[in-house]
């Protein structure tokens, strides 16, 4: 466990950030896997909707700084 004041603060910040970032990254992973599954089915309507959801989720993650825009 952290003994210095700054190390305790850093530990608190890390816990808070990971608690906030984890759901966003999980949503990115799940929407990506759903999109990949729909590619095999070749349903253009569902694929378009899934692409829109994936793009929105990725944009949100980039905006929060969780992933790079590349």
């Amino acid at each position: 466990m952290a003994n210095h004041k700054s190390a305790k603060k850093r530990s608190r910040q890390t816990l808070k950030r990971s608690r906030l970032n984890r759901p966003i990254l999980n949503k990115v992973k799940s929407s990506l896997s759903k999109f990949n599954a729909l590619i095999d089915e070749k349903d253009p309507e569902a694929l378009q909707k899934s692409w829109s959801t994936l793009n929105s989720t990725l944009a949100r993650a980039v905006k929060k700084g969780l992933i790079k825009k590349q």
Side-chain angles (χ1 to χ4, degrees), residues 13-65:
Q13 288 175 333
T14 302
L15 291 173
K16 183 178 179 181
R17 284 192 185 112
S18 63
R19 188 172 59 239
L20 293 174
N21 293 338
R22 192 175 301 123
I24 297 170
L25 291 175
N26 285 340
K27 194 167 188 179
V28 167
K29 290 177 199 172
S30 66
S31 62
L32 184 61
S33 66
K34 286 177 186 176
F35 181 74
N36 286 334
L38 285 173
I39 288 176
D40 297 334
E41 293 180 18
K42 295 186 171 90
D43 182 15
E45 196 171 300
L47 192 63
Q48 181 65 30
K49 186 172 182 176
S50 179
W51 170 252
S52 176
T53 304
L54 176 62
N55 194 20
S56 173
T57 309
L58 287 172
R60 189 172 293 125
V62 168
K63 181 179 169 186
K64 295 282 280 180

